[in-house]
Amino acid sequence: MIRFEKIGKQNGRQIVFIEASAALQRGEKVGLVGPNGAGKTTLFRMIIGEEQPDEGQVAAERGITIGYFSQDVGEMSGRSVVSEVMDGAGPVSEVAAELSQLEAALADPAGAADMDALVERFGEVQARFEELDGYALQGRAQEVLAGLSFTQAMMDGDVGALSGGWKMRVALARILLMRPDVMLLDEPSNHLDLESLIWLESFLRDYGGALLMTSHDREFMNRIVTKIIEIDGGALTTYSGDYAFYEQQRALNETQQQAQFERQQAMLAKEIKFIERFKARASHAAQVQSRVKKLDKIERVEPPRRRQTVAFDFPPAPRSGDDVAMLKGVHKSYGGRPIYAGLDFSVRRRERWCVMGVNGAGKSTLLKLVTGFTEPDSGTVAVGGSVKLGYFAQHAMDLLDDQRTVFETLEDSFPQAGQGSLRALAGCFGFSGDDVEKRCRVLSGGEKARLVMARMLYDPPNFLVLDEPTNHLDMTTKEMLIKALSRYEGTMLFVSHDRHFLSALSDRVLELTPDGVHVYGGGYTEYVARTGQEAPGLRS
């Protein structure tokens, strides 16, 4: 359906593509992968015609519809969430808007004088709405929004009142409702909770069109895609299989290429040694010339391109007491709505608790109670002796000083640390070379998350409380964080929607449900096995 034929593209001094070729066939579900800045968004923009290749062509079948979801959702306000989503489906949204206005006018006593005209117009618009299958479309829009965790009140409310993360979900819902021939999804798993993520997986598996998507969630990618297109070094390389197969195949290819490179280097060294040894001897002149010509004709094997890898090891944290956090008889309400009514919960040294529950169950509230960022209405919350707390929350990224650089931010936090030590810390979290001179105001969400995490982990706490720590992190940084935390000897309490993170690091689950609190030993993997569900309220 879409072909990239020897495309070349350069942005300023950066070469993005060099004679790159690949194809997206009808019905395929393809993952687009590559390092940050490799050109994934550029490729999407070339498909929809917002950018053109400098060389080659991007060819699409005539007449196909393409839906593109990006992180830049634009302005939304002035109409209901359902109307905003239906707007992506074309003229029916305009008819729906007029129908809604007429319904309001008919219900307004002030419009009694115009009642006959309103009733007549309502009949005409309603007939047009039915002709366009509007009622079925509205039902489908509500179904998609419910899958993405919108309540009915949110669906009927003004889209302009939503946060940026919820507006992202509205933009995603528009594309899903549209059901185009080709769906381009740039990080659709960002800003989704676990329940929405699992629903979206099911939706995309059943979707009959072609799909090209990026995602930093390996489990999400593995369950949907059957082909990978990798962008690296200006080339497009295609792998048949899911993300796990791609990783294995890429590692195997690198090993084979390294072996070929080393064999050729050994051969070249041997030939050059012979030439150097006998080039001055007339008796060996013919042999020397023959070998020189042979070397000139050999096609050189390049060493495999090494991805920049980051590694971080925790300095040992001071030992805490055995009782790390204790909540007894805790009551907490917001706006008259009870969140906890008599909660008893305790965390012991070296336990790793993941907290699960549907939206509004009180996951983040629990973390705020434990860390002292909010107080219980009644009951007690106590942190044990010798506990040194580290709290990662989404709002921490908003507290960074926009005018300070990455290095200055670390230096402000650790004035006694040496420059070399802080540069090494920055490098572990993906800030190498001149990146440490970036001001916080220009950092992406992922970069801010990495900086906050670097600052938190350098002088390690013995009790880590983490609220969605993997949001915005790419797969490489996630993997580094998981490896580092798996070696961490302190205590953990965390909320995450990343199943790889949950499985790798939890050894206990606290599930918050309307029926009360449930505790599972053995972590997230055992929770799934015992409950038959990957998230509260959803069957797997």
Side-chain angles (χ1 to χ4, degrees):
M1 298 181 81
I2 296 173
R3 298 188 314 280
F4 310 101
E5 299 174 348
K6 293 189 175 182
I7 59 171
K9 182 70 175 176
Q10 187 166 338
N11 289 335
R13 293 184 178 181
Q14 183 195 6
I15 296 174
V16 184
F17 296 110
I18 308 168
E19 292 194 342
S21 297
L24 177 65
Q25 307 293 352
R26 189 173 294 277
E28 282 187 329
K29 295 180 171 63
V30 180
L32 184 63
V33 303
N36 284 340
K40 299 188 288 292
T41 300
T42 300
L43 199 71
F44 281 140
R45 290 169 64 86
M46 286 198 287
I47 292 173
I48 62 173
E50 286 187 4
E51 290 192 35
Q52 298 298 323
D54 300 331
E55 298 172 353
Q57 67 170 344
V58 178
E61 275 185 28
R62 191 184 301 276
I64 61 170
T65 54
I66 298 175
Y68 175 39
F69 168 76
S70 75
Q71 297 296 301
D72 182 15
V73 298
E75 282 299 313
M76 295 181 185
S77 64
R79 53 183 166 185
S80 72
V81 168
V82 169
S83 298
E84 185 70 37
V85 171
M86 289 173 62
D87 185 52
V92 69
S93 63
E94 296 171 15
V95 180
E98 186 178 355
L99 196 62
S100 179
Q101 290 167 0
L102 288 166
E103 285 173 348
L106 286 168
D108 185 356
D114 302 319
M115 191 60 66
D116 290 345
L118 284 171
V119 168
E120 184 180 350
R121 181 57 185 163
F122 183 84
E124 293 169 357
V125 174
Q126 188 177 45
R128 177 63 177 149
F129 192 62
E130 289 174 351
E131 184 185 321
L132 292 169
D133 205 18
Y135 287 110
L137 185 68
Q138 187 167 343
R140 279 175 46 216
Q142 291 175 326
E143 185 181 335
V144 169
L145 286 165
L148 295 176
S149 299
F150 284 83
T151 63
Q152 188 62 51
M154 291 172 74
M155 293 182 206
D156 296 336
D158 187 340
V159 68
L162 298 177
S163 68
W166 284 99
K167 285 180 178 177
M168 288 274 191
R169 297 192 196 204
V170 172
L172 177 60
R174 283 172 61 118
I175 304 301
L176 301 182
L177 181 66
M178 179 183 172
R179 284 187 175 265
D181 299 316
V182 179
M183 209 181 281
L184 310 177
L185 303 181
D186 192 2
E187 295 295 346
S189 51
N190 277 4
H191 304 285
L192 295 186
D193 53 55
L194 188 50
E195 295 78 22
S196 301
L197 204 57
I198 293 167
W199 177 86
L200 181 59
E201 273 174 14
S202 175
F203 184 97
L204 293 177
R205 280 198 299 265
D206 293 341
Y207 166 62
L211 171 68
L212 182 66
M213 74 170 189
T214 65
S215 176
H216 291 328
D217 187 320
R218 69 174 58 232
E219 192 67 32
F220 181 71
M221 188 88 89
N222 274 333
R223 295 183 184 207
I224 295 170
V225 306
T226 55
K227 177 173 152 182
I228 295 287
I229 295 177
E230 179 195 52
I231 309 177
D232 197 13
L236 293 173
T237 307
T238 300
Y239 297 81
S240 294
D242 61 13
Y243 186 82
F245 173 80
Y246 152 74
E247 279 193 310
Q248 294 166 0
Q249 193 61 45
R250 181 185 166 85
L252 179 62
N253 291 352
E254 282 187 355
T255 302
Q256 292 173 341
Q257 191 175 344
Q258 182 66 32
Q260 285 181 322
F261 173 73
E262 289 173 0
R263 283 196 301 270
Q264 189 180 71
Q265 290 299 303
M267 180 273 290
L268 292 173
K270 184 178 177 182
E271 294 294 324
I272 290 169
K273 186 177 179 181
F274 180 92
I275 292 167
E276 290 297 319
R277 183 179 177 187
F278 295 110
K279 65 183 178 183
R281 298 189 189 180
S283 59
H284 287 74
Q287 287 174 285
V288 168
Q289 279 300 110
S290 171
R291 294 193 182 203
V292 168
K293 288 179 180 177
K294 175 184 170 184
L295 291 187
D296 287 341
K297 291 178 181 177
I298 287 176
E299 186 173 338
R300 298 293 198 267
V301 175
E302 295 293 327
R305 188 186 311 278
R306 296 295 181 194
R307 289 274 177 90
Q308 181 185 354
T309 56
V310 289
F312 179 74
D313 280 316
F314 282 90
R319 179 187 168 118
S320 72
D322 288 339
D323 292 317
V324 175
M326 295 76 67
L327 290 81
K328 292 182 180 176
V330 167
H331 288 253
K332 184 67 179 177
S333 297
Y334 283 116
R337 188 172 74 88
I339 305 295
Y340 295 116
L343 172 66
D344 293 320
F345 173 57
S346 62
V347 179
R348 302 272 292 170
R349 188 174 73 87
R350 298 196 68 175
E351 290 180 339
R352 294 161 174 251
W353 287 91
C354 72
V355 184
M356 303 193 67
V358 298
N359 272 338
K363 301 187 293 292
S364 293
T365 299
L366 177 65
L367 270 51
K368 288 175 183 175
L369 285 165
V370 169
T371 55
F373 275 78
T374 193
E375 296 289 328
D377 298 335
S378 62
T380 61
V381 179
V383 173
S386 306
V387 168
K388 183 181 176 186
L389 187 70
Y391 179 35
F392 178 90
Q394 296 302 305
H395 74 263
M397 293 181 284
D398 300 328
L399 301 179
L400 292 170
D401 185 340
D402 281 354
Q403 299 308 311
R404 304 296 278 170
T405 66
V406 168
F407 188 78
E408 287 168 346
T409 301
L410 296 176
E411 206 170 30
D412 292 344
S413 300
F414 309 107
Q416 305 302 318
Q419 282 215 359
S421 174
L422 293 182
R423 285 187 179 275
L425 172 67
C428 285
F429 284 85
F431 298 104
S432 56
D434 293 340
D435 286 345
V436 296
E437 302 305 327
K438 282 184 175 179
R439 297 202 182 277
C440 291
R441 68 169 181 267
V442 302
L443 297 181
S444 67
E447 288 171 323
K448 286 182 178 178
R450 296 203 308 267
L451 178 55
V452 169
M453 211 160 285
R455 196 167 58 173
M456 182 179 69
L457 300 180
Y458 180 66
D459 183 17
N462 51 32
F463 181 29
L464 280 176
V465 180
L466 309 172
D467 194 357
E468 296 288 5
T470 60
N471 273 6
H472 308 291
L473 296 186
D474 60 32
M475 286 195 192
T476 304
T477 311
K478 271 189 198 178
E479 207 56 45
M480 177 274 288
L481 185 63
I482 288 171
K483 285 179 180 176
L485 291 175
S486 67
R487 297 189 294 268
Y488 171 64
E489 295 189 353
T491 306
M492 290 175 60
L493 175 68
F494 62 90
V495 173
S496 176
H497 67 250
D498 189 293
R499 284 158 291 180
H500 182 45
F501 189 90
L502 290 168
S503 300
L505 295 173
S506 62
D507 60 18
R508 284 164 176 74
V509 174
L510 181 72
E511 184 186 37
L512 309 175
T513 75
D515 304 325
V517 172
H518 304 286
V519 170
Y520 299 86
Y524 178 72
T525 303
E526 186 170 319
Y527 165 83
V528 174
R530 285 176 61 184
T531 64
Q533 61 190 30
E534 292 187 294
L538 289 180
R539 308 306 299 180
S540 60

